[in-house]
Amino acid sequence: QNLESYFFERDLIIESVLLAIFSKDNSFIYGPTGTGKTNLINCVMEHFPFLKVFMEQGGHDTTKEDLFGPINIKQYTQDEIYSRLTEGFILDADVVFIDEFSDIPGKVQRALLGISSKNRFFKNGSQKIYWKGRTCVFASNFFRKTDETKAVNDRILLKASVDYMSSTALTEYVIKDEIPYDNKGIFFTKEELD
């Protein structure tokens, strides 16, 4: 209720993201720019301080290195083993939030599909690295119809769309605009998630 009283007309998105976290499923949020998708995710994650979150703004120039980590050049030159330095990237996170998913090149979207599938793996050269995280939340302000986005649509059951606030909600929001989000000390524990 705390989130719902702060984010007007965003109940469905809040429920979708929370359900994704608790069920270890994935979520897709669709809506125009400026509707508060990223801010909402940040505030939801305040209630889960023990979860590592990886957030990335997607774009046409997003690469696998941006999301999964750079290639370990030292290991490759010494041992001819192709691997990535994954600390601080997706494979090191519990929750992944990728904004502007539809802007990301198809090859990178396919890699994201690997971790968002039921098997949750990333193909790292000839090896598969299994992701032990909880959920991926993808967001976009448009939906480009490609094989990759169709696969995401097919595989992700929790979907929510968001639009601009109604004039009534906007008036209420403008009145309280200067008040930052307060999680009121409400935190979930690891045991509650498991």
Side-chain angles (χ1 to χ4, degrees):
Q1 284 213 335
N2 191 37
L3 287 161
E4 291 167 355
S5 65
Y6 188 78
F7 290 99
F8 299 110
E9 300 176 347
R10 302 294 182 257
D11 300 6
L12 186 60
I13 294 175
I14 293 166
E15 291 169 11
S16 174
V17 172
L18 288 172
L19 185 57
I21 292 169
F22 277 97
S23 68
K24 291 188 174 182
D25 213 328
N26 303 299
S27 179
F28 191 92
I29 302 169
Y30 173 80
T33 303
T35 52
K37 299 180 294 286
T38 302
N39 188 27
L40 187 141
I41 296 295
N42 282 323
C43 292
V44 167
M45 294 318 303
E46 282 187 29
H47 296 279
F48 301 91
F50 57 92
L51 292 177
K52 283 178 159 179
V53 181
F54 177 85
M55 298 182 89
E56 182 72 24
Q57 175 83 25
H60 298 291
D61 57 350
T62 301
T63 65
K64 286 184 186 179
E65 286 73 21
D66 297 328
L67 304 177
F68 296 98
I71 295 169
N72 187 340
I73 301 295
K74 184 178 179 183
Q75 188 174 30
Y76 185 74
T77 55
Q78 288 178 354
D79 306 324
E80 294 186 13
I81 296 174
Y82 178 87
S83 67
R84 292 184 183 272
L85 301 170
T86 59
E87 189 173 334
F89 293 92
I90 285 179
L91 298 173
D92 190 39
D94 299 307
V95 175
V96 171
F97 176 63
I98 305 293
D99 199 5
E100 305 309 339
F101 176 81
S102 293
D103 284 339
I104 295 173
K107 186 175 183 178
V108 181
Q109 286 180 352
R110 282 191 292 280
L112 287 167
L113 284 175
I115 67 157
S116 64
S117 70
K118 291 297 175 193
N119 296 327
R120 295 186 180 250
F121 71 88
F122 172 69
K123 198 160 165 83
N124 190 21
S126 60
Q127 70 178 144
K128 287 182 180 178
I129 299 176
Y130 289 90
W131 180 56
K132 297 178 178 94
R134 295 195 72 84
T135 186
C136 292
V137 179
F138 301 121
S140 189
N141 59 11
F142 72 96
F143 200 74
R144 185 169 28 129
K145 293 185 179 181
T146 65
D147 289 342
E148 290 80 16
T149 56
K150 185 179 181 307
V152 167
N153 196 38
D154 290 345
R155 292 180 189 175
I156 296 180
L157 299 176
L158 300 171
K159 299 178 191 88
S161 64
V162 60
D163 206 347
Y164 296 110
M165 286 188 269
S166 67
S167 58
T168 305
L170 185 59
T171 303
E172 288 181 48
Y173 184 78
V174 168
I175 291 169
K176 71 165 200 76
D177 187 43
E178 297 300 317
I179 303 168
Y181 178 71
D182 178 9
N183 61 32
K184 299 195 185 305
I186 301 168
F187 302 109
F188 292 98
T189 65
K190 191 171 184 336
E191 291 73 30
E192 288 174 308
L193 281 184
D194 294 336

